[in-house]
Amino acid sequence: MKEAKAILHDGARVAIIGGGPAGSFFGIFASKLAQDMGKTLDLTLYERKSFFTHGASGCNMCAGVISESLVQTLALEGINLPSTVVQWSIESYFFHTLEGSVEIKSSRLRQRGIATVFRGSGPAGSLAKGIQSFDEFLLGKAMEHGVCVNRSFIDKVCREGEKTKLYSAGNILQECDLLVGAFGIKGATGKMYEDIITGYKVPPTVKTAQSEIELGNDWIAHRFGHSIHIFLLRIPGIKFVSVIPKGDYITISVLGKDPKLDHIRAFLDHAAMKKFLPSGFKVPEKFCHCFPKISVGAARNPFAARTAFVGDASSTRLYKDGIGSAYITAKAAAHTALLHGIEEKDFREYYFPTCKFLNRDNLFGRLLFAANNLISFISPISRSYFNIVQGEQKNPEKNTPYSDILWDMFTGSRFYKDIFFRALHPWCIIYLLGAVVIYPLKKAVFSFINR
Amino acid sequence: MSEDSLLGRLYKDGETIVEEGMLSRTMYVIQGGKVKVVKNDKGSETVLALLGEGDIFGEMSLFDASPRSATIKAVGEARVLAIEYEGLLKRIKVDPTLALRMIKQMSQRIRDLNVRLISAQRTMHHASDSLLQLKKAEDVRIKDLEPNIITLITRLQEKLHTITEQYVHQDESLRED
């Protein structure tokens, strides 16, 4: 006799582990689609953290940039980010190199299209500032869609036949038909799931360093404008530093090899950064900082029978748009579970291609960031690239291919594959190499004439 | 509310966001305030709809490359987020369900239009009945104008009937799909 297909029937119990964006997105999209299909799901989301707490304990620790494409996508989904959640609206990126600084704006739309947010309720000591947590906002949206939030910590999970049992402090909390792993990769939670889900392995990670420095809204508006500032300063061990304005604060995010607090202090003392700080600014003794891990690879087998992993626990875009990746994977998993089924083969056939798409795209991302590092360390090429981009920004209404490559890479607005093939266009390479030769010649001629 | 944390672009009262007849494939989502959809005919402006926070407009240009069918103006200050066409198409290719909300909104607009058309048709019928009653009373002035009035009413009725039928047909096709 043919076995009945495992599907999410009316009233099915779904447990979501983790209340970050991936968990909330899964809850929202599963609930919406179930409603369209005339079903009601019993969705419970487990998150012990309170995003109302200030400082690191109430924060899911990331740079907190909602990409241009995600802001637009969320708006189309009916999720408009309120001004209490958006700390700063961004319209451009400044790139600071040893050759100078250049501002890049999107050649497609002239608007403040990127949002910066705090994942928690703001840095330690920001109690009176009325900051609304992005994660809490999304969690609220999930609750509006009927998702129940349970603040217990799930410390044990048992698979028994078709059911999964969830325990907290020795007590069974619930049995579920579908388990959704939307946890972060910072703690030991991933290891617990590796032990019970055969073949599952959390993605590899790298450490980043982040800190919040209070400079005041007026100073930030005056000095940083509505721009995210990227510093490519050839500091050994550091790929790049991003400075992200957020209301009264700037978030400093250091990406490199094992960055430490000293790297942040050294960066704040660097001449390129000092000119953005008030005169007489002294690095405070204590400031809110953390060393979050970010995923730089893909989870192995992010699914099993009646189980799916989403967000950081599955696949995420390299260095950029982690929240956008959470949106993509959570929605794909929710739609697979409701439209196709919850067996392993269903997730393999309908959900896994989305993960593979992101993983393949990250290969192109790796090549792009490697090329970017190489360029920033080879002075003549770096200078030429800088000059080309600077030239393009003088006439931004015209075709600006080099600026667009940088914009899309650092804002996460486009998939890496798309950017990679644009960067590999023969004209793009020929023009850059030509500039490497022409600019020094031009400079020599001008200096000769001036002499 | 801090101006620094507002997304999109701010339009002042009466400022045009989209101009009727222009070619553009950008669509918009209202982040704050209100906008009106207006149709210009020989200098006079007819307000077709008033849209508020969260509403989408300009989505028709995504599905066809025709010029804008109406003008959109800000009512008071309105903050509007533009959605870039090429990026959106790429995202819809990865996730086709992203277009669902747009389709739902367009479907709702067709329904609203049907209601308005049927209401307009009822008014016309009512007007024509009243005129026919006047004709029976053999009013001299009305009698003089009778051929023109009858022709005009008949044309208007035919036109309204055709439009109503078209929209009802589109609505039914959407429901069947």
Side-chain angles (χ1 to χ4, degrees):
Chain A
M1 202 175 80
K2 198 179 170 185
E3 270 185 47
K5 188 174 164 57
I7 57 160
L8 280 183
H9 52 81
D10 195 28
R13 286 165 299 176
V14 180
I16 306 164
I17 314 296
S24 294
F25 281 137
F26 185 93
I28 292 167
F29 293 120
S31 171
K32 268 168 110 172
L33 186 60
Q35 200 181 0
D36 285 348
M37 293 168 77
K39 287 180 179 179
T40 307
L41 296 179
D42 177 355
L43 292 150
T44 307
L45 187 150
Y46 292 92
E47 174 58 65
R48 68 169 162 171
K49 191 178 280 178
S50 166
F51 300 116
F52 291 111
T53 315
H54 296 80
S57 62
C59 177
N60 267 336
M61 299 173 199
C62 86
V65 179
I66 315 292
S67 70
E68 191 181 29
S69 62
L70 186 60
V71 166
Q72 293 178 17
T73 305
L74 290 181
L76 288 174
E77 296 280 12
I79 303 173
N80 290 298
L81 302 176
S83 58
T84 45
V85 170
V86 179
Q87 301 306 315
W88 211 255
S89 49
I90 302 293
E91 61 183 349
S92 71
Y93 268 58
F94 260 96
F95 289 86
H96 305 282
T97 68
L98 295 180
E99 279 70 37
S101 301
V102 63
E103 183 185 18
I104 295 180
K105 290 187 174 182
S106 167
S107 63
R108 303 178 196 108
L109 294 172
R110 291 301 157 107
Q111 64 177 354
R112 291 184 193 164
I114 298 168
T116 70
V117 298
F118 281 117
R119 299 290 300 275
S121 285
S126 64
L127 190 62
K129 297 195 187 288
I131 294 166
Q132 192 187 355
S133 151
F134 174 75
D135 287 22
E136 189 59 44
F137 164 74
L138 274 188
L139 208 53
K141 286 278 166 199
M143 287 163 79
E144 282 171 23
H145 282 86
V147 176
C148 293
V149 177
N150 188 318
R151 296 292 177 183
S152 307
F153 176 61
I154 302 296
D155 52 18
K156 189 179 159 195
V157 177
C158 288
R159 306 296 298 269
E160 284 176 24
E162 291 185 343
K163 300 284 177 194
T164 305
K165 288 182 178 174
L166 307 179
Y167 295 84
S168 180
N171 301 314
I172 182 160
L173 289 186
Q174 80 159 116
E175 274 187 359
C176 64
D177 301 294
L178 174 66
L179 175 74
V180 179
F183 47 83
I185 43 175
K186 299 162 192 94
T189 315
K191 180 80 182 73
M192 183 172 82
Y193 291 95
E194 283 179 354
D195 293 342
I196 59 152
I197 308 291
T198 317
Y200 174 66
K201 192 156 177 48
V202 291
T205 57
V206 293
K207 198 174 93 176
T208 63
Q210 267 169 212
S211 64
E212 318 286 351
I213 306 287
E214 187 171 4
L215 294 176
N217 193 298
D218 291 344
W219 179 265
I220 290 172
H222 161 67
R223 205 64 197 91
F224 292 87
H226 285 270
S227 310
I228 286 176
H229 294 249
I230 306 284
F231 290 82
L232 298 150
L233 301 171
R234 295 180 210 157
I235 301 171
I238 292 180
K239 281 194 169 93
F240 60 86
V241 182
S242 310
V243 177
I244 302 147
K246 291 181 188 175
D248 285 332
Y249 295 84
I250 51 166
T251 296
I252 298 172
S253 180
V254 180
L255 192 72
K257 200 179 175 185
D258 194 22
K260 296 189 167 60
L261 194 58
D262 287 346
H263 284 103
I264 295 172
R265 287 185 187 279
F267 171 70
L268 285 167
D269 256 345
H270 195 284
M273 181 58 190
K274 263 195 161 170
K275 59 186 178 188
F276 285 94
L277 300 170
S279 62
F281 174 83
K282 282 202 173 81
V283 181
E285 278 294 306
K286 284 183 181 175
F287 54 89
C288 196
H289 66 274
C290 58
F291 301 98
K293 288 177 182 171
I294 58 164
S295 162
V296 285
R300 205 170 65 200
N301 289 348
F303 56 88
R306 298 170 179 273
T307 309
F309 296 94
V310 294
D312 278 357
S314 172
S315 293
T316 187
R317 294 188 67 200
L318 187 71
Y319 303 144
K320 293 282 149 193
D321 203 19
I323 299 168
S325 308
Y327 163 84
I328 292 170
T329 52
K331 195 174 179 187
H335 283 195
T336 301
L338 275 149
L339 295 172
H340 304 289
I342 50 175
E343 290 173 16
E344 186 175 346
K345 66 178 177 58
D346 298 319
F347 286 118
R348 184 179 299 283
E349 195 172 343
Y350 298 101
Y351 170 55
F352 198 36
T354 303
C355 304
K356 285 202 281 192
F357 172 80
L358 291 176
N359 303 341
R360 268 197 305 270
D361 195 56
N362 283 344
L363 294 177
F364 293 101
R366 267 176 224 290
L367 292 172
L368 280 169
F369 278 102
N372 184 69
N373 279 348
L374 193 70
I375 287 174
S376 67
F377 273 91
I378 302 172
S379 247
I381 304 181
S382 169
R383 202 176 303 123
S384 304
Y385 200 103
F386 178 80
N387 287 334
I388 294 172
V389 170
Q390 210 172 31
E392 281 183 346
Q393 290 303 311
K394 281 177 189 159
N395 293 301
E397 306 305 322
K398 290 184 179 171
N399 197 19
T400 55
Y402 294 91
S403 305
D404 290 349
I405 288 169
L406 273 184
W407 174 265
D408 290 337
M409 249 179 88
F410 283 90
T411 60
S413 299
R414 286 280 197 271
F415 288 112
Y416 290 128
K417 186 181 171 185
D418 181 48
I419 309 167
F420 181 81
F421 284 108
R422 270 189 282 144
L424 266 195
H425 193 282
W427 273 119
C428 223
I429 295 170
I430 290 167
Y431 194 78
L432 178 63
L433 292 177
V436 172
V437 179
I438 289 166
Y439 278 117
L441 275 176
K442 248 179 158 178
K443 209 176 164 186
V445 170
F446 275 119
S447 72
F448 178 75
I449 292 168
N450 286 339
R451 213 166 2 148
Chain B
M1 192 193 304
S2 166
E3 176 66 24
D4 294 319
S5 61
L6 294 172
L7 290 165
R9 201 185 134 187
L10 187 71
Y11 290 88
K12 288 178 187 143
D13 185 28
E15 196 177 344
T16 301
I17 305 163
V18 163
E19 181 95 55
E20 186 181 345
M22 296 295 280
L23 272 173
S24 163
R25 302 199 81 171
T26 306
M27 63 176 283
Y28 302 85
V29 183
I30 303 168
Q31 299 290 293
K34 283 189 167 57
V35 305
K36 60 181 177 181
V37 185
V38 296
K39 195 91 181 158
N40 292 307
D41 186 32
K42 292 172 188 166
S44 70
E45 195 178 75
T46 312
V47 178
L48 299 177
L50 199 64
L51 306 175
E53 197 176 318
D55 282 336
I56 297 169
F57 62 88
E59 74 281 10
M60 278 156 72
S61 64
L62 267 186
F63 300 101
D64 58 31
S66 305
R68 298 290 192 188
S69 61
T71 296
I72 314 278
K73 287 181 177 177
V75 180
E77 278 196 344
R79 187 158 279 276
V80 175
L81 182 77
I83 310 285
E84 191 239 324
Y85 164 72
E86 196 191 324
L88 178 60
L89 280 192
K90 283 181 179 170
R91 273 173 277 156
I92 289 176
K93 198 181 161 202
V94 176
D95 171 22
T97 63
L98 196 55
L100 269 179
R101 189 161 169 257
M102 279 176 268
I103 294 167
K104 275 184 185 172
Q105 184 159 322
M106 285 168 89
S107 171
Q108 187 57 50
R109 282 197 192 140
I110 292 169
R111 280 176 200 278
D112 294 345
L113 210 54
N114 287 345
V115 172
R116 287 166 73 174
L117 277 167
I118 288 162
S119 158
Q121 202 178 28
R122 274 197 201 123
T123 313
M124 288 303 297
H125 278 303
H126 185 70
S128 87
D129 286 348
S130 306
L131 283 165
L132 286 170
Q133 275 172 9
L134 273 172
K135 181 201 153 204
K136 279 177 193 165
E138 292 191 345
D139 185 291
V140 180
R141 279 171 297 171
I142 293 290
K143 207 171 180 179
D144 291 342
L145 295 168
E146 187 188 291
N148 292 341
I149 292 168
I150 298 288
T151 317
L152 186 70
I153 289 169
T154 316
R155 275 187 196 163
L156 275 169
Q157 277 184 333
E158 279 172 0
K159 203 170 178 180
L160 271 168
H161 187 69
T162 317
I163 295 168
T164 312
E165 267 193 343
Q166 274 177 358
Y167 278 101
V168 169
H169 177 69
Q170 277 182 18
D171 194 13
E172 278 170 356
S173 315
L174 271 173
R175 265 185 279 179
E176 278 165 16
D177 288 344

Coordinates of all heavy atoms in Angstrom, one line a residue, chain A residues 280-327:
Chain A
G280 N 39.3 66.6 19.5 CA 39.5 66.3 20.9 C 38.8 65.0 21.3 O 38.7 64.7 22.5
F281 N 38.2 64.3 20.3 CA 37.5 63.0 20.6 C 38.5 62.0 21.2 O 39.6 61.8 20.6 CB 36.9 62.5 19.3 CG 36.3 61.1 19.5 CD1 35.0 61.0 20.1 CD2 37.0 60.0 19.2 CE1 34.4 59.7 20.2 CE2 36.4 58.7 19.4 CZ 35.1 58.6 19.9
K282 N 38.1 61.4 22.3 CA 38.9 60.4 22.9 C 38.1 59.1 22.9 O 36.9 59.1 23.2 CB 39.3 60.8 24.3 CG 40.4 61.8 24.4 CD 41.1 61.7 25.8 CE 42.3 62.6 25.8 NZ 42.0 64.0 26.0
V283 N 38.8 58.0 22.5 CA 38.1 56.7 22.5 C 37.6 56.4 23.9 O 38.4 56.4 24.8 CB 39.0 55.6 22.0 CG1 38.2 54.3 21.9 CG2 39.5 56.0 20.6
P284 N 36.3 56.2 24.1 CA 35.8 56.0 25.5 C 36.4 54.7 26.1 O 36.8 53.8 25.4 CB 34.3 55.9 25.4 CG 34.0 56.1 23.9 CD 35.2 56.2 23.2
E285 N 36.6 54.8 27.4 CA 37.1 53.6 28.1 C 36.2 52.4 27.9 O 36.7 51.3 27.6 CB 37.1 53.9 29.7 CG 38.3 54.6 30.1 CD 39.6 53.9 30.0 OE1 39.7 52.7 30.5 OE2 40.5 54.4 29.3
K286 N 34.9 52.6 28.0 CA 33.9 51.5 27.8 C 33.0 51.9 26.6 O 32.5 53.1 26.7 CB 33.1 51.3 29.0 CG 33.9 50.5 30.1 CD 33.0 50.2 31.3 CE 33.8 49.4 32.3 NZ 33.0 49.3 33.5
F287 N 32.7 51.1 25.7 CA 31.7 51.3 24.7 C 31.2 49.9 24.3 O 31.8 48.9 24.4 CB 32.2 52.1 23.5 CG 33.5 51.5 22.9 CD1 33.4 50.6 21.8 CD2 34.8 51.9 23.3 CE1 34.5 50.1 21.2 CE2 35.9 51.4 22.6 CZ 35.8 50.5 21.6
C288 N 29.9 50.0 23.8 CA 29.2 48.7 23.4 C 30.0 48.1 22.3 O 30.2 48.7 21.2 CB 27.8 49.1 23.0 SG 26.7 47.7 23.0
H289 N 30.4 46.9 22.5 CA 31.1 46.2 21.4 C 30.8 44.7 21.5 O 30.4 44.2 22.5 CB 32.6 46.4 21.4 CG 33.3 45.9 22.6 ND1 33.3 46.6 23.8 CD2 33.9 44.7 22.8 CE1 33.9 45.8 24.7 NE2 34.3 44.7 24.1
C290 N 31.0 44.0 20.4 CA 30.8 42.5 20.3 C 31.6 41.9 19.2 O 32.1 42.7 18.4 CB 29.3 42.2 20.2 SG 28.6 42.9 18.7
F291 N 31.7 40.6 19.2 CA 32.5 39.9 18.2 C 31.7 38.8 17.6 O 31.9 37.6 17.8 CB 33.8 39.3 18.8 CG 34.7 40.4 19.4 CD1 34.6 40.6 20.8 CD2 35.5 41.2 18.6 CE1 35.4 41.6 21.4 CE2 36.3 42.2 19.2 CZ 36.2 42.4 20.6
P292 N 30.6 39.2 16.8 CA 29.7 38.2 16.3 C 30.4 37.4 15.2 O 31.3 37.8 14.5 CB 28.6 39.0 15.7 CG 29.1 40.3 15.4 CD 30.2 40.6 16.4
K293 N 29.9 36.1 15.1 CA 30.4 35.3 14.0 C 29.5 35.5 12.8 O 28.2 35.5 13.0 CB 30.4 33.8 14.4 CG 31.4 33.5 15.4 CD 31.3 32.0 15.9 CE 32.3 31.6 16.9 NZ 32.0 30.3 17.5
I294 N 30.0 35.5 11.6 CA 29.1 35.5 10.5 C 29.4 34.3 9.6 O 30.5 33.8 9.5 CB 29.2 36.8 9.6 CG1 30.7 37.1 9.1 CG2 28.7 38.0 10.4 CD1 30.8 38.1 8.0
S295 N 28.4 33.8 9.0 CA 28.5 32.7 8.2 C 29.2 33.0 6.9 O 29.0 34.0 6.3 CB 27.1 32.1 7.8 OG 27.1 31.3 6.8
V296 N 30.2 32.1 6.5 CA 30.9 32.4 5.2 C 30.8 31.2 4.3 O 31.6 31.0 3.4 CB 32.4 32.8 5.4 CG1 32.5 34.2 6.0 CG2 33.1 31.8 6.4
G297 N 29.9 30.3 4.6 CA 29.7 29.1 3.8 C 28.3 28.6 3.9 O 27.4 29.4 4.3
A298 N 28.1 27.4 3.5 CA 26.8 26.8 3.5 C 26.6 25.7 4.5 O 27.6 25.0 4.7 CB 26.4 26.3 2.1
A299 N 25.5 25.6 5.1 CA 25.2 24.4 6.0 C 25.1 23.2 5.1 O 24.7 23.3 4.0 CB 23.9 24.6 6.7
R300 N 25.6 22.0 5.7 CA 25.4 20.8 4.9 C 24.1 20.2 5.2 O 23.7 20.2 6.4 CB 26.5 19.8 5.3 CG 26.8 18.8 4.2 CD 28.1 18.1 4.5 NE 27.9 17.2 5.7 CZ 28.9 16.8 6.4 NH1 30.2 17.1 6.1 NH2 28.7 16.0 7.5
N301 N 23.3 19.8 4.2 CA 22.0 19.2 4.4 C 21.1 20.0 5.3 O 20.7 19.6 6.4 CB 22.1 17.8 4.9 CG 22.6 16.8 3.9 OD1 22.7 17.1 2.7 ND2 23.0 15.6 4.4
P302 N 20.7 21.2 4.9 CA 19.9 22.1 5.8 C 18.4 21.6 5.8 O 17.5 22.5 5.8 CB 20.0 23.5 5.1 CG 20.3 23.2 3.7 CD 21.0 21.9 3.6
F303 N 18.2 20.3 5.7 CA 16.8 19.8 5.8 C 16.9 18.3 6.1 O 17.9 17.7 6.0 CB 16.1 20.0 4.4 CG 16.8 19.4 3.3 CD1 16.6 18.1 2.9 CD2 17.8 20.1 2.6 CE1 17.3 17.5 1.9 CE2 18.5 19.5 1.6 CZ 18.3 18.2 1.2
A304 N 15.7 17.8 6.6 CA 15.6 16.4 6.8 C 14.1 16.2 6.8 O 13.3 17.1 6.6 CB 16.2 16.0 8.2
A305 N 13.6 15.0 7.0 CA 12.2 14.7 7.1 C 11.6 15.6 8.2 O 12.1 15.5 9.3 CB 11.9 13.2 7.3
R306 N 10.6 16.3 7.9 CA 9.9 17.2 8.9 C 10.8 18.2 9.6 O 10.5 18.6 10.7 CB 9.2 16.3 9.9 CG 8.1 15.4 9.3 CD 7.6 14.4 10.2 NE 6.6 13.5 9.6 CZ 5.3 13.8 9.5 NH1 4.9 14.9 10.1 NH2 4.5 13.1 8.8
T307 N 11.9 18.6 8.9 CA 12.8 19.5 9.5 C 13.4 20.4 8.4 O 13.8 19.9 7.3 CB 14.0 18.8 10.2 OG1 13.4 17.9 11.1 CG2 14.8 19.8 10.9
A308 N 13.4 21.7 8.6 CA 14.1 22.6 7.7 C 14.9 23.6 8.5 O 14.4 24.1 9.5 CB 13.1 23.3 6.8
F309 N 16.1 24.0 8.0 CA 16.9 25.0 8.6 C 16.9 26.2 7.7 O 17.0 26.1 6.5 CB 18.3 24.5 8.8 CG 18.4 23.4 9.8 CD1 18.4 22.1 9.4 CD2 18.4 23.7 11.2 CE1 18.4 21.0 10.3 CE2 18.4 22.6 12.1 CZ 18.4 21.3 11.7
V310 N 16.7 27.4 8.3 CA 16.6 28.6 7.5 C 17.6 29.7 8.0 O 18.1 29.6 9.2 CB 15.2 29.2 7.4 CG1 14.3 28.2 6.7 CG2 14.6 29.4 8.8
G311 N 17.8 30.8 7.2 CA 18.6 31.9 7.7 C 20.1 31.5 7.9 O 20.6 30.7 7.1
D312 N 20.7 32.0 8.9 CA 22.1 31.7 9.2 C 22.4 30.2 9.3 O 23.5 29.7 9.1 CB 22.6 32.4 10.4 CG 23.0 33.9 10.1 OD1 22.9 34.3 8.9 OD2 23.3 34.6 11.1
A313 N 21.4 29.5 9.8 CA 21.5 28.0 10.1 C 21.5 27.3 8.8 O 21.7 26.1 8.7 CB 20.4 27.5 11.0
S314 N 21.2 28.0 7.6 CA 21.2 27.3 6.3 C 22.2 27.9 5.4 O 23.4 27.7 5.5 CB 19.8 27.4 5.8 OG 19.7 27.0 4.5
S315 N 21.8 28.8 4.5 CA 22.7 29.4 3.6 C 22.5 30.9 3.7 O 21.3 31.4 3.8 CB 22.4 29.0 2.1 OG 22.7 27.7 1.9
T316 N 23.6 31.6 3.6 CA 23.4 33.1 3.6 C 24.4 33.7 2.7 O 25.4 33.1 2.3 CB 23.6 33.6 5.1 OG1 23.4 34.9 5.2 CG2 25.0 33.3 5.6
R317 N 24.1 34.9 2.2 CA 25.0 35.6 1.2 C 26.3 36.0 1.9 O 26.3 36.5 3.0 CB 24.3 36.8 0.6 CG 23.1 36.4 -0.2 CD 22.5 37.5 -1.0 NE 23.5 38.0 -2.0 CZ 23.4 39.2 -2.5 NH1 22.5 40.0 -2.2 NH2 24.3 39.5 -3.4
L318 N 27.3 35.9 1.2 CA 28.7 36.2 1.7 C 28.8 37.7 2.1 O 28.6 38.5 1.3 CB 29.7 35.8 0.6 CG 31.2 35.9 1.0 CD1 31.5 34.8 2.0 CD2 32.1 35.9 -0.2
Y319 N 29.2 37.9 3.3 CA 29.5 39.2 3.9 C 28.3 40.2 3.9 O 28.3 41.2 4.6 CB 30.6 39.9 3.2 CG 31.9 39.1 3.2 CD1 32.8 39.1 2.2 CD2 32.3 38.3 4.3 CE1 34.0 38.4 2.2 CE2 33.4 37.6 4.4 CZ 34.3 37.6 3.3 OH 35.4 36.9 3.3
K320 N 27.3 40.0 3.0 CA 26.3 41.1 2.8 C 24.9 40.5 2.9 O 24.7 39.3 2.6 CB 26.4 41.7 1.4 CG 27.7 42.5 1.2 CD 27.6 43.8 1.8 CE 29.0 44.3 2.3 NZ 28.9 45.5 3.1
D321 N 24.0 41.4 3.3 CA 22.6 41.1 3.2 C 22.1 39.8 3.9 O 21.4 39.0 3.3 CB 22.2 41.0 1.7 CG 20.7 41.3 1.5 OD1 20.1 41.8 2.4 OD2 20.2 40.9 0.4
G322 N 22.6 39.6 5.1 CA 22.3 38.4 5.9 C 20.8 38.3 6.1 O 20.2 37.3 6.1
I323 N 20.2 39.5 6.4 CA 18.7 39.6 6.6 C 18.0 39.2 5.3 O 16.9 38.6 5.4 CB 18.3 40.9 7.2 CG1 19.1 41.1 8.5 CG2 16.8 41.0 7.5 CD1 19.0 42.5 9.1
G324 N 18.5 39.7 4.2 CA 17.9 39.3 2.9 C 18.0 37.8 2.7 O 17.0 37.2 2.1
S325 N 19.1 37.2 3.1 CA 19.2 35.7 2.9 C 18.2 35.0 3.8 O 17.6 34.0 3.4 CB 20.6 35.3 3.3 OG 21.5 36.0 2.6
A326 N 18.0 35.6 5.0 CA 17.0 35.0 5.9 C 15.6 35.0 5.3 O 14.8 34.1 5.3 CB 17.0 35.8 7.2
Y327 N 15.3 36.2 4.6 CA 14.0 36.3 3.9 C 13.9 35.3 2.8 O 12.8 34.6 2.7 CB 13.9 37.8 3.4 CG 12.9 37.9 2.3 CD1 11.5 38.2 2.7 CD2 13.2 37.8 0.9 CE1 10.6 38.3 1.7 CE2 12.2 37.9 0.0 CZ 10.9 38.2 0.3 OH 9.9 38.3 -0.6

